[in-house]
Amino acid sequence: MAELRVERAAAVYSGRNGPVTVFENLSLTVGAGRFIVALGASGCGKTTLLNLMAGFLRPSAGRIALNGREVQGPGAERGVVFQHDALFPWLNVLDNVAFSLRLRGTPARERQERARAALALVGLAGFDRHHVWELSGGMRQRVGLARALTADPEVLLLDEPLGALDALTREQMQELLLTVWAQTGKTLFMITHGIEEALLLATDLILLSPRPARIAETLTLDFGRRYLAGEAARQLKADPAFVALRERVTRTLFAYNTPGEFADV
Amino acid sequence: MSEFDAEVLVFPTVELPGEVDALTLPAAAIPQPPRPLPWRRWLAQPRLLSLATVVALLALWWLVTALQLVPPLFLPSPQAVLGKFHQVATVGYMDATLWQHLNASLARVAVALLAASLTAIPLGILLGRSRRARAIGDPIIEFYRPLPPLAYLPLIVIWFGIGELSKILLIYLAIFAPVVISTMAGVSAVAPDRLRAAQALGANPRQLLWYVVLPSALPDILTGMRIGLGTGWSTLVAAELIAATQGLGFMVQSAANFLVTDVVVLGILVIGAVAVGLELLIRALQRRLTPWQGKV
């Protein structure tokens, strides 16, 4: 099973007044089948962390390894869902979802079958022939998720996938993510600045301090599994344990930040 | 400030959008604009207004000639030009019918457009992808692009003679620059997230180029071809100054030499009409090939 490790990684870029350290000596493990959520304020370096894991950026020091093999660049074994869908408007929904299979030269029939299955999984069965621009923001994110799943990655990296959605769609998408996670058994790593979202979804919640980012705290949670066992998401969010954790996480993060930087959804 | 207010006051004639009907507001709550006068509503339609302009110009042309305000040598009447149209279309002018002239011109522009697309698009992709290539290509393109074709026409004649090659080359050069520049712009403006998304789905550099960069840049490439076709068509007359025996530019040029003004006017009208036709054609092509343009 897939295990993505970040080992003593550093991210340094050259700014106007010399080198800027986003983080250094950062280590974490994304264990097989887990749903890891990294929570931190805007600009704390969580996107950089995800970009390193995806292979879009190379670490300045340390290494990123998937199942012991060092990550050299982007690859299909590490899928990515973007904040702003990054779909291809010249392809219809089905061809967007089947894109990775087309790159691999999979026969058309199998390509369509697998893409349809992925669309059904995200609740978009029947939207095959739609154009990307005909879809709402939430639907586009579902297509982006289906597209990443069709490539059958070992780890799925989610870059604030719900960040640009309205509150209602966001709650639906949170539930969808949990369902997809349970049904596919994939290993997920998501970054977000939504506290409730992070608490509901994560099996392991990583709290990041601002720059230079370091892991302030790691929490092991079970609200996601409780949702999947049948409890309603709304009720879970009102659960005293959930509320207490929300307060605690908020306090931890506000210890570093001025209020107002975190979404309360 | 007051001027802006006045504008607002003059324009409550705009009809309410249809969605308003769907609202459950009582009818009285919707402010009813005063009914506009019929002719004002008529003029509010852009197409009708455009058509009216054309008709008015033709009428003015007819009136000026009918009243004999200008001698026919300077401005022949619309009827004369129409008669000439029939004559040139059937009998011909300068040993070729209007259709043969038109055909010769269109063929030159088509060959030039094809050659320009086949060379300028790959070059534009290269320039858009490689900073070094751009550094080399930029001064060359930026130097020749603003040159009027008539300025380098003599040099082309000295180098390549007065044959068909020189004519097509001149049109080719006029089309090449806009296509290469807009391809370059389109390629360098590809959304980084889309490139990353494709890479994370397993695309290799070649696939990235074919499946992401090229379709991303297609709207810009087509815009470049649209602009290029416009400049190419307007270079036509200059190109056909070089010892041509057929072509619309040649037809106008030789008619002017013999002061056959009605053929000159006819030629100009046909050149203009074809230009409009080409523009509409490529716009339709844009809508068909890049329907997402402006929507995503």
Side-chain angles (χ1 to χ4, degrees):
Chain A
M1 280 292 270
E3 189 184 68
L4 184 64
R5 292 174 73 94
V6 177
E7 294 165 358
R8 305 174 65 82
V12 181
Y13 68 91
S14 43
R16 193 178 297 237
N17 308 314
V20 178
T21 304
V22 183
F23 51 75
E24 52 191 356
N25 235 334
L26 192 86
S27 297
L28 67 94
T29 300
V30 181
R34 311 290 294 179
F35 195 152
I36 317 277
V37 177
L39 178 66
S42 321
C44 80
K46 54 191 191 299
T47 298
T48 307
L49 177 61
L50 186 132
N51 284 341
L52 289 184
M53 291 163 118
F56 300 144
L57 300 173
R58 302 296 303 271
S60 314
R63 62 174 224 148
I64 319 285
L66 180 67
N67 302 330
R69 253 180 330 132
E70 186 166 352
V71 167
Q72 302 285 352
E77 70 285 352
R78 281 158 290 121
V80 182
V81 177
F82 295 83
Q83 181 176 5
H84 302 286
D85 64 63
L87 297 174
F88 308 123
W90 48 89
L91 301 177
N92 65 24
V93 166
L94 193 75
D95 290 340
N96 262 288
V97 175
F99 190 76
S100 62
L101 303 177
R102 183 165 156 201
L103 297 176
R104 284 174 212 174
T106 310
R109 180 181 290 264
E110 189 194 334
R111 217 157 65 196
Q112 291 183 1
E113 271 171 25
R114 287 176 58 184
R116 284 212 180 88
L119 276 175
L121 184 66
V122 299
L124 282 182
F127 282 86
D128 304 13
R129 304 273 156 231
H130 277 65
H131 293 296
V132 168
W133 64 85
E134 293 169 333
L135 305 181
S136 67
M139 289 160 108
R140 285 189 198 190
Q141 283 306 50
R142 288 172 193 229
V143 176
L145 181 62
R147 180 177 69 174
L149 285 170
T150 312
D152 197 21
E154 297 190 50
V155 179
L156 194 55
L157 306 169
L158 304 133
D159 183 4
E160 300 200 41
L162 317 183
L165 303 178
D166 61 88
L168 205 66
T169 313
R170 195 184 254 238
E171 293 202 359
Q172 291 171 342
M173 287 294 287
Q174 292 167 2
E175 296 175 10
L176 179 77
L177 279 176
L178 284 171
T179 313
V180 167
W181 172 60
Q183 289 191 7
T184 59
K186 291 280 173 217
T187 305
L188 266 56
F189 176 83
M190 179 171 109
I191 59 172
T192 181
H193 57 258
I195 295 172
E196 282 205 346
E197 178 174 299
L199 286 169
L200 180 68
L201 299 181
T203 57
D204 306 81
L205 176 60
I206 294 168
L207 301 182
L208 290 173
S209 70
R211 279 186 196 190
R214 51 176 198 82
I215 297 174
E217 199 173 349
T218 306
L219 301 169
T220 308
L221 304 167
D222 67 345
F223 297 108
R225 292 194 201 282
R226 281 170 64 185
Y227 168 79
L228 290 168
E231 290 186 55
R234 282 257 126 227
Q235 265 165 16
L236 283 168
K237 287 179 184 174
D239 188 297
F242 190 97
V243 175
L245 272 168
R246 191 181 65 205
E247 291 312 307
R248 194 176 126 203
V249 168
T250 309
R251 262 200 311 280
T252 308
L253 291 173
F254 277 4
Y256 304 109
N257 291 280
T258 48
E261 277 193 57
F262 289 91
D264 50 6
V265 206
Chain B
M1 170 75 191
S2 57
E3 208 177 292
F4 182 75
D5 283 346
E7 284 273 295
V8 173
L9 286 176
V10 175
F11 273 98
T13 54
V14 177
E15 283 179 39
L16 284 170
E19 299 97 78
V20 173
D21 297 336
L23 293 176
T24 48
L25 283 172
I30 303 170
Q32 292 291 327
R35 298 285 302 166
L37 298 166
W39 64 270
R40 288 195 61 176
R41 252 192 311 166
W42 192 79
L43 282 181
Q45 299 206 351
R47 270 166 206 272
L48 282 177
L49 200 56
S50 302
L51 193 70
T53 308
V54 174
V55 171
L57 280 173
L58 284 174
L60 186 69
W61 178 16
W62 172 81
L63 193 71
V64 167
T65 52
L67 296 175
Q68 296 185 328
L69 295 176
V70 181
L73 179 65
F74 293 110
L75 186 66
S77 68
Q79 308 93 292
V81 173
L82 201 65
K84 212 63 183 182
F85 173 75
H86 183 254
Q87 192 196 340
V88 178
T90 51
V91 181
Y93 183 80
M94 287 282 164
D95 301 325
T97 63
L98 180 62
W99 312 120
Q100 286 169 321
H101 286 303
L102 179 63
N103 199 32
S105 296
L106 279 177
R108 282 178 190 128
V109 172
V111 171
L113 179 69
L114 185 72
S117 304
L118 288 178
T119 49
I121 294 172
L123 185 67
I125 292 170
L126 180 71
L127 296 180
R129 295 288 279 171
S130 154
R131 199 175 293 205
R132 202 169 297 169
R134 201 174 326 170
I136 298 169
D138 225 29
I140 304 171
I141 293 168
E142 284 307 320
F143 172 72
Y144 108 80
R145 187 184 58 86
L147 285 178
L150 275 176
Y152 51 79
L153 175 61
L155 191 61
I156 286 180
V157 174
I158 292 171
W159 283 353
F160 301 101
I162 55 171
E164 202 61 17
L165 176 65
S166 291
K167 300 180 190 63
I168 291 173
L169 193 63
L170 193 73
I171 302 172
Y172 165 83
L173 285 172
I175 301 177
F176 185 84
V179 176
V180 81
I181 288 168
S182 47
T183 304
M184 187 170 81
V187 165
S188 44
V190 176
D193 261 8
R194 291 205 179 116
L195 290 173
R196 286 179 162 184
Q199 284 178 311
L201 292 165
N204 61 36
R206 195 178 50 82
Q207 291 174 321
L208 216 53
L209 187 66
W210 273 109
Y211 294 138
V212 183
V213 173
L214 216 56
S216 278
L218 191 58
D220 291 290
I221 295 174
L222 285 175
T223 303
M225 287 172 73
R226 189 170 137 195
I227 298 168
L229 205 54
T231 51
W233 189 247
S234 35
T235 311
L236 187 75
V237 180
E240 288 174 350
L241 284 175
I242 329 166
T245 54
Q246 275 184 11
L248 291 172
F250 159 75
M251 187 182 93
V252 171
Q253 193 55 43
S254 46
N257 287 342
F258 297 106
L259 286 180
V260 190
T261 319
D262 39 13
V263 173
V264 172
V265 173
L266 171 67
I268 291 170
L269 288 179
V270 173
I271 290 174
V274 171
V276 172
L278 290 175
E279 169 77 14
L280 293 179
L281 195 75
I282 202 148
R283 273 196 215 171
L285 200 68
Q286 276 183 313
R287 274 196 302 273
R288 194 174 169 78
L289 291 180
T290 59
W292 66 89
Q293 208 180 351
K295 288 178 190 156
V296 181

